[in-house]
């Protein structure tokens, strides 16, 4: 980690801490101020859309043991076996190398315009242990560039398993600044994560109203005697978890995922969760527009952060990335799209003298 934003350098909620990081939401707001807008670069490595210049071919069987990328190390699973690595293993390693090479080009280029990255873990999980290697390296690179790291893992489980997930994603080598979670298993399932908010400067984003159209099948179900939609019940619960966790600060580090495709609900959710920071996915490829999201933000771009993946990474066209343009040019294109979105967001929220949200 470098730069002016103190990141969480010490890990382990109960281990001997070397340095207690400042609350996640404070680091987020500092980063937003430094970069000029509340924007995260969504890192979703859709393999079929990563430009050809970053592609890595499967390493030949004779070269097993990861000699193809010395950074993979020699102690990796499969190294030193008598049988050659399977084609599938070699293909996965090639995918992981592609992901990392791509990230190494685009992250430094886009870093001046974004407060952090939201890394979609699913793509890395798909590539097996090599994907875990690429994920770890990518998160480390982002930190070196002074970027916050939000891992989009969307977990939720019984407390004993939730504790392992919290260790996996928020401690140790990955040590994300924040993660996304499903809140459906209730308070005890969140406790291992909330503990790290209280003691280790971590942040959470709990899914309240996701961006996909199907989300309303459940989230808008009427509940109780009044027929109140489920997302409202959930929003109140998230606000209560936030208050119980770090209620003494103006903004909580317990956040909520609110789809940027739901501008019709943003103002209402802001009222229900006055000190809960929003993560707003769904801009661009899913049809959301930043210009409709003003109600999510407080002055200085506080209180919410937009994340956009495909529209910034690959542009709006859906055609595959043909051509042979060099990596530096491909990275410049990502940076230019990130800057354009950053500027649109800045125009919407940074200069505006929007009033601080009053608790309802
Ligand atoms: O409600 C949600 C929660 C998470 N996501 C994730 O955000 C990105 C969006 O990618 P785009 O390419 O910008 O559409 C992706 O990782 C989703 O898993 C979401 O879209 N909606």
């Amino acid at each position: 980690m470098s730069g002016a934003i103190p990141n969480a350098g010490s890990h382990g909620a109960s281990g001997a801490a070397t340095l207690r990081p400042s609350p996640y939401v404070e680091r987020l707001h500092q980063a937003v101020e430094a970069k000029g807008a509340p924007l995260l670069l969504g890192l979703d490595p859709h393999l079929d859309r990563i430009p050809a210049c970053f592609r890595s071919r499967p390493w030949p069987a004779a070269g097993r043991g990861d000699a193809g990328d010395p950074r993979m190390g020699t102690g990796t699973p499969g190294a030193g076996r008598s049988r050659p690595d399977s084609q599938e293993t070699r293909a996965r390693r090639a995918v992981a190398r592609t992901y990392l090479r791509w990230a190494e080009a685009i992250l430094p280029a886009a870093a001046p315009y974004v407060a952090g990255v939201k890394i979609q873990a699913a793509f890395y999980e798909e590539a097996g242990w090599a994907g875990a290697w690429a994920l770890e390296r990518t998160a480390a690179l982002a930190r070196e560039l002074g970027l916050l790291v939000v891992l989009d893992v969307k977990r939720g489980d019984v407390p004993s398993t939730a504790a392992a997930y919290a260790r996996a994603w928020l401690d140790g080598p990955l040590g994300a600044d924040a993660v996304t979670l499903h809140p459906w298993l209730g308070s005890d399932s969140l406790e291992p994560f909330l503990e790290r908010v209280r003691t280790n400067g971590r942040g959470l984003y709990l899914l309240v109203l996701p961006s996909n159209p199907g989300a309303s099948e459940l989230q808008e179900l009427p509940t109780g005697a009044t027929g109140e939609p489920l997302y409202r019940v959930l929003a109140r619960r998230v606000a209560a978890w936030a208050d119980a966790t770090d209620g003494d600060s103006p903004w909580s580090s317990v956040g909520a995922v609110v789809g940027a495709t739901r501008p019709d609900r943003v103002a209402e959710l802001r009222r229900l969760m006055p000190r809960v920071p929003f993560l707003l996915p769904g801009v661009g490829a899913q049809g959301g527009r930043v210009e409709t999201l003003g109600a999510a933000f407080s002055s200085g771009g506080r209180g919410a952060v937009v994340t956009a993946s495909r529209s910034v990474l690959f542009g709006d066209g859906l055609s595959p990335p043909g051509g042979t343009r060099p990596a530096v040019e491909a990275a410049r294109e990502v940076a230019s799209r990130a800057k354009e979105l950053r500027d649109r967001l800045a125009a919407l929220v940074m200069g505006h003298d929007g009033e601080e949200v009053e608790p309802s």
Side-chain angles (χ1 to χ4, degrees):
M1 168 69 200
S2 65
I5 302 149
N7 200 335
S10 63
H11 299 124
S14 54
T18 51
L19 172 71
R20 177 169 290 190
S22 54
Y24 165 72
V25 73
E26 276 181 24
R27 300 200 304 282
L28 174 65
H29 287 154
Q30 284 168 23
V32 165
E33 207 164 294
K35 301 303 175 70
L39 178 63
L40 300 180
L41 174 66
L43 211 54
D44 294 46
H46 290 264
L47 191 59
D48 56 339
R49 304 202 62 201
I50 292 180
C53 52
F54 300 113
R55 303 287 177 91
S56 178
R57 278 196 301 278
W59 201 250
R64 68 181 182 275
D66 302 316
D69 189 331
R71 296 170 304 172
M72 269 195 187
T74 50
T76 44
R81 292 180 316 181
S82 54
R83 276 183 298 117
D85 291 328
S86 71
Q87 201 169 349
E88 192 186 337
T89 299
R90 284 181 286 125
R92 284 180 172 187
R93 279 209 295 266
V95 167
R97 283 197 300 273
T98 300
Y99 287 176
L100 185 59
R101 205 178 282 168
W102 174 68
E104 285 172 342
I106 66 169
L107 286 187
Y113 313 113
V114 297
V117 286
K118 182 189 79 68
I119 307 178
Q120 178 47 262
F123 294 91
Y124 296 86
E125 290 172 25
E126 192 185 354
W129 68 260
W133 169 83
L135 176 57
E136 224 175 277
R137 303 291 306 200
T138 303
L141 170 65
R143 270 193 285 274
E144 281 161 25
L145 292 165
L147 298 171
L148 290 170
V149 175
V150 177
L151 285 182
D152 196 350
V153 294
K154 298 193 189 70
R155 302 300 146 119
D157 214 314
V158 298
S160 56
T161 308
Y165 278 132
R167 289 193 297 272
W169 300 115
L170 292 179
D171 303 345
L174 271 172
D177 293 283
V179 286
T180 58
L181 297 175
H182 283 287
W184 297 117
L185 277 81
S187 310
D188 55 351
S189 77
L190 297 175
E191 186 45 39
F193 296 93
L194 294 170
E195 186 195 350
R196 283 161 174 83
V197 172
R198 286 191 294 266
T199 66
N200 225 19
R202 306 307 196 197
L204 315 177
Y205 289 105
L206 307 175
L207 282 148
V208 169
L209 191 59
S211 60
N212 59 314
S216 32
E217 289 168 18
L218 294 176
Q219 311 296 68
E220 309 230 9
L221 278 180
T223 64
T226 59
E228 185 164 61
L230 184 56
Y231 75 83
R232 254 189 238 162
V233 178
L234 194 50
R236 279 204 196 90
R237 187 55 70 95
V238 170
W241 281 322
D243 290 347
T245 302
D246 54 5
D248 46 350
S249 37
W251 287 98
S252 177
S253 291
V254 178
V257 177
V258 175
T261 51
R262 301 306 309 266
D264 54 323
R265 299 283 189 239
V266 166
E268 176 193 13
L269 288 169
R270 176 44 74 217
R271 276 193 301 279
L272 290 167
M273 298 182 281
R275 46 183 299 281
V276 169
F278 292 177
L279 177 68
L280 301 163
V283 161
Q286 296 179 53
R289 294 181 55 248
V290 293
E291 288 75 13
T292 65
L293 300 172
F297 296 92
S298 180
S299 58
R302 289 174 175 242
V305 66
V306 164
T307 177
S309 306
R310 286 166 292 178
S311 54
V312 174
L313 298 172
F314 311 117
D316 287 324
L318 289 173
S319 57
T324 53
R325 65 197 190 291
V328 67
E329 197 181 309
R332 218 178 278 140
E333 286 170 15
V334 174
S336 138
R337 287 189 288 264
K339 180 179 183 307
E340 200 242 297
L341 188 56
R342 192 277 310 261
D343 291 348
R344 278 169 56 202
L345 249 179
L348 179 75
V349 300
M350 293 310 276
H352 89 133
D353 52 358
E355 289 146 36
E356 291 290 336
V357 179
E358 296 292 334
S360 55

